Amino acid sequence: SLASTAVTCFTRGLDLRKETEDVLCPADCPLWQFYVFGDGVYASLSSVCGAAIHSGVITNAGGAVRIQTLPGQENYPAVNANGIQSQVLTRWASSFSVTRSKNTALEAVGRSVSTARPATGKRPKKTLDKKAGNKDCKADIAFLIDGSYNIGQRRFNLQKNFVGKVAVMLGIGTEGPHVGVVQASEHPKIEFYLKNFTAAKEVLFAIKELGFRGGNSNTGKALKHTAQKFFSLENGARKGIPKIIVVFLDGWPSDDIEEAGIVAREFGATEELGMVQDIGFVDKAVCRNNGFFSYQMPTWFGTTKYVKPLVQKLCSHEQMLCSKTCYNSVNIGFLIDGSSSVGDSNFRLVLEFISNVAKAFEISDIGSKIAAVQFTYDQRTEFSFTDYTTKEKVLSAIRNIRYMSGGTATGDAISFTTRNVFGAMKDGPNKNFLIVLTDGQSYDDVRGPAAAAQKAGITIFSVGVAWAPLDDLKDMASEPRESHTFFTREFTGLEQMVPDVIRGICKDFLDSKQ
């Protein structure tokens, strides 16, 4: 087959559909952002292009590779090779290997894109495409520029030049990126909307015409204003296309940007920052400072070299981790059996299992949240979804759970958790999951309470150990019950289930978004 799949730096083995697939890896992927597990044989959780570079099949210049699906295995090793440190994984359900692609057509395509230029030095005129713009970079972008006395007239003009260069390089067009500009000073002013211009020339002219407003820098206010007014459909925002706010900051804003950042994210916009002196401030404003959202430029002079990397960032949307992924958009409640049959040392293993599942998620006030309830005949909320908003605090709270010891009323405990723990989360943006861990027969009915929980929008995974009856576990689990029910004879078997539970949550999350 000559057909090949164009992939991004972040496509994983499990995102590919075929047994054998030829893919074309892009150039210049940031090596430090690759997740790779194993060596030679890679867990399908790994980035395919990352694995290809790690194994030496291609370099960071990209190229065609063939991905072959293999069965899962245990103990993928961590090996440092070709600039990538792969990680250990105890076990995963499927793997892949990477070889050079035998696909000559694909190789040629790869080469022509990167090196071939018409020999005459004159490029063939592309009249049609100029209007359409860069179709590979579909985004609605607001440039939030600093118009305060902080920056002053002269640096304001340098900032305008920079924005102009970025706008031109983006490849604005009817099918490509659309941009608008908001000036932040005492009061935010929308200078032009997404819908006003669809050609780079017009945008450039509009940017040149911008006047400096002066006043205090209320970036937070401007960010809120932009999130609420600028990205409306009547002002030209397009459905299903990433909304990005690029915030230019010179110095330190005088108002509360943290709250504004939360408003912007709830609205579905991701943010980028340039020209900030204070890293702590950047952390507050962006989803998470992973080198992706915050972007430092030492001065406004000689900023041309920053144009291209910023454009590449704005165009690689998969990487906009603020976007909803299963890792940052779920609430997971753990319902823990504290009955006397569990025993102290096994209870520790249960807590370890919970920590390992929780660890995989991005926990924050605007990201994923974790709660835990322990039950015997009684129920005790160990902590609710709003108690801890960092991973460290959640993990330490899990470690500090004290074993109750007593009977087993699982049905009651499910009703209690639905009402008291998930009640507050009902209309929130995150998808709700309940993981029930039990080692025995419940003294009460589990079917009714589980059905009510599911009706309230909670997906249930049941994890049974030792004497937990399969019928109970299946009665509690969400549909399809097979994939939502886990069982192990021994408490030591819990550790092996961690990746499967995480994958189950992510699969349900993705299915709910389809």
Side-chain angles (χ1 to χ4, degrees), residues 31 37 77 90 95 97-98 113 157 184 202 209 213-214 242 308 327 340-341 371 392 399 432 469 473 484 494 496 501:
L31 294 185
F37 302 88
T90 19
S95 316
S97 64
V98 192
V113 170
N157 288 340
E202 303 166 346
E209 293 296 293
R213 294 170 63 86
K308 191 175 176 188
Y327 297 108
S340 37
S341 50
E392 291 68 42
R399 274 196 302 276
N432 290 318
L473 297 174
H484 290 80
L494 284 171
Q496 254 125 52
V501 172

Side-chain angles (χ1 to χ4, degrees), residues 274-290:
M275 277 302 299
V276 169
Q277 271 76 44
D278 185 298
I279 297 273
F281 165 75
V282 175
D283 272 342
K284 271 167 58 173
V286 294
C287 316
R288 67 172 221 242
N289 184 4
N290 54 6

Side-chain angles (χ1 to χ4, degrees), residues 417-435:
T417 310
T418 304
R419 195 173 54 246
N420 298 335
V421 178
F422 283 98
M425 296 287 137
K426 216 170 58 219
D427 304 318
N430 288 2
K431 186 163 168 50
N432 290 318
F433 291 91
L434 175 63
I435 297 178

Side-chain angles (χ1 to χ4, degrees), residues 491-507:
F491 280 89
T492 48
L494 284 171
E495 189 191 355
Q496 254 125 52
M497 293 179 182
V498 171
D500 300 327
V501 172
I502 295 166
R503 202 171 21 191
I505 291 171
C506 285
K507 185 181 182 319

Side-chain angles (χ1 to χ4, degrees), residues 82-105:
N82 302 314
I84 295 177
Q85 173 63 59
S86 74
Q87 303 180 45
V88 172
L89 193 62
T90 19
R91 153 163 175 269
W92 196 250
S94 56
S95 316
F96 64 84
S97 64
V98 192
T99 50
R100 274 197 189 292
S101 178
K102 305 287 180 289
N103 190 333
T104 44

Side-chain angles (χ1 to χ4, degrees), residues 29-306:
C29 288
L31 294 185
W32 54 273
Q33 281 184 357
F34 280 131
Y35 278 107
V36 177
F37 302 88
D39 181 35
V41 173
Y42 299 95
S44 60
L45 197 58
S46 311
S47 145
V48 290
C49 297
I53 295 172
H54 184 266
S55 62
V57 173
I58 56 169
T59 65
N60 207 16
V65 296
R66 175 163 289 182
I67 304 297
Q68 175 70 46
T69 305
L70 301 168
Q73 62 172 49
E74 300 197 341
N75 303 327
Y76 295 90
V79 175
N80 196 334
N82 302 314
I84 295 177
Q85 173 63 59
S86 74
Q87 303 180 45
V88 172
L89 193 62
T90 19
R91 153 163 175 269
W92 196 250
S94 56
S95 316
F96 64 84
S97 64
V98 192
T99 50
R100 274 197 189 292
S101 178
K102 305 287 180 289
N103 190 333
T104 44
L106 180 57
E107 276 295 0
V109 170
R111 267 203 304 285
S112 70
V113 170
S114 53
T115 57
R117 289 268 175 276
T120 57
K122 280 210 176 74
R123 294 197 188 178
K125 278 264 185 292
K126 276 197 191 166
T127 42
L128 216 166
D129 269 353
K130 191 107 166 69
K131 244 181 108 122
N134 178 4
K135 291 184 189 158
D136 294 334
C137 180
K138 268 197 161 50
D140 286 342
I141 303 170
F143 289 106
L144 183 55
I145 62 173
D146 188 344
S148 69
Y149 291 136
N150 255 355
I151 189 170
Q153 177 80 56
R154 196 179 60 129
R155 295 209 304 268
F156 179 77
N157 288 340
L158 292 168
Q159 176 183 231
K160 281 196 333 189
N161 293 347
F162 180 76
V163 173
K165 284 177 186 151
V166 172
V168 169
M169 196 162 185
L170 277 168
I172 295 164
T174 48
E175 311 270 310
H178 291 178
V179 304
V181 171
V182 183
Q183 187 173 166
S185 54
E186 196 78 50
H187 302 292
K189 177 179 183 221
I190 295 179
E191 300 283 1
F192 57 90
Y193 286 101
L194 295 163
K195 63 176 179 192
N196 294 128
F197 310 112
T198 53
K201 270 221 304 280
E202 303 166 346
V203 168
L204 209 53
F205 183 74
I207 290 172
K208 283 211 171 76
E209 293 296 293
L210 292 181
F212 173 61
R213 294 170 63 86
N216 282 331
S217 87
N218 289 325
T219 308
K221 185 171 171 185
L223 190 51
K224 261 188 176 155
H225 182 75
T226 307
Q228 289 157 349
K229 309 265 189 314
F230 181 89
F231 287 113
S232 62
L233 295 172
E234 59 271 26
N235 287 328
R238 295 168 288 179
K239 273 208 171 87
I241 285 184
K243 303 175 180 58
I244 304 168
I245 304 175
V246 182
V247 186
F248 290 94
L249 293 164
D250 189 315
W252 183 259
S254 47
D255 63 351
D256 180 12
I257 192 159
E258 184 165 15
E259 184 205 352
I262 291 170
V263 172
R265 290 191 288 276
E266 278 172 356
F267 197 81
T270 34
E271 309 142 79
E272 286 273 356
L273 295 157
M275 277 302 299
V276 169
Q277 271 76 44
D278 185 298
I279 297 273
F281 165 75
V282 175
D283 272 342
K284 271 167 58 173
V286 294
C287 316
R288 67 172 221 242
N289 184 4
N290 54 6
F292 192 77
F293 293 113
S294 44
Y295 189 67
Q296 317 254 294
M297 300 188 293
T299 74
W300 286 114
F301 290 101
T303 50
T304 310
K305 65 169 180 291
Y306 297 107

